[in-house]
Amino acid sequence: MTRSFPVQLTCMCLIRNQRNEVLIQDRQKKDWPGWTFPGGHVEATESMTEAVIREIKEEAGLIIVPKLMGIAEWLNKSDGSRELCGIFSSQVTTEPTVMTEGRVFWLPEKELSQVKLAGTLSDLLPVFYGEKTQYFQDNRF
């Protein structure tokens, strides 16, 4: 059994405002395109928490105090690698000031289950809501 394999660390954050809306990013990148929550890759010199704070500031201009809700994992059949994603949530009282990776906008939270979200994001919602602490998808088959 192989215990050493490539791993990518990423993070994502569900951000709520005081109007019961969540921040949606209409992401325009090849990896994970479409309506999603802001986030990105963890740099070698930072923790997942530091990364999600940096990513949200870069992508939306918001300062957050993130709460870790759980972890999502994907196994990739193409190269045998694994992606680990820290799933966070946060509340804000300010408005986004930056849009670096696609338009960001507020969506009523109750509408999340009614819209088409990027990739497996709809499967991750129970982790964002604290109903589960982990999501695992084996894409090797």
Side-chain angles (χ1 to χ4, degrees):
M1 174 178 268
T2 302
R3 293 182 183 223
S4 178
F5 45 85
V7 175
Q8 286 188 61
L9 298 177
T10 60
C11 55
M12 194 180 309
C13 191
L14 182 148
I15 301 169
R16 293 180 178 95
N17 65 16
Q18 295 173 318
R19 299 180 306 266
N20 294 319
E21 297 170 321
V22 294
L23 189 66
I24 298 292
Q25 181 181 53
D26 187 6
R27 192 172 157 116
Q28 303 296 313
K29 291 182 125 185
K30 287 183 185 178
D31 62 326
W32 202 269
W35 285 16
T36 187
F37 301 140
H41 285 85
V42 178
E43 301 296 332
T45 59
E46 62 188 0
S47 69
M48 280 193 180
T49 302
E50 291 168 330
V52 77
I53 292 168
R54 175 187 51 76
E55 287 285 351
I56 302 311
K57 187 173 183 182
E58 288 175 1
E59 294 178 8
L62 294 171
I63 305 298
I64 62 167
V65 178
K67 177 181 178 185
L68 180 64
M69 303 303 292
I71 299 290
E73 300 179 65
W74 296 271
L75 297 178
N76 299 311
K77 67 180 171 184
S78 61
D79 62 4
S81 69
R82 179 177 292 209
E83 180 177 346
L84 296 176
C85 181
I87 303 294
F88 293 87
S89 69
S90 186
Q91 294 270 151
V92 296
T93 57
T94 58
E95 293 296 315
T97 60
V98 178
M99 295 183 204
T100 61
E101 293 189 18
R103 176 177 69 101
V104 294
F105 59 95
W106 295 109
L107 179 76
E109 191 164 7
K110 63 185 179 193
E111 293 181 23
L112 272 178
S113 62
Q114 303 166 18
V115 298
K116 173 85 170 101
L117 300 173
T120 56
L121 184 57
S122 60
D123 296 332
L124 299 176
L125 291 179
V127 182
F128 283 105
Y129 289 132
E131 298 163 4
K132 296 170 94 178
T133 58
Q134 186 177 18
Y135 170 84
F136 178 77
Q137 184 178 36
D138 189 341
N139 290 325
R140 295 177 296 173
F141 307 101

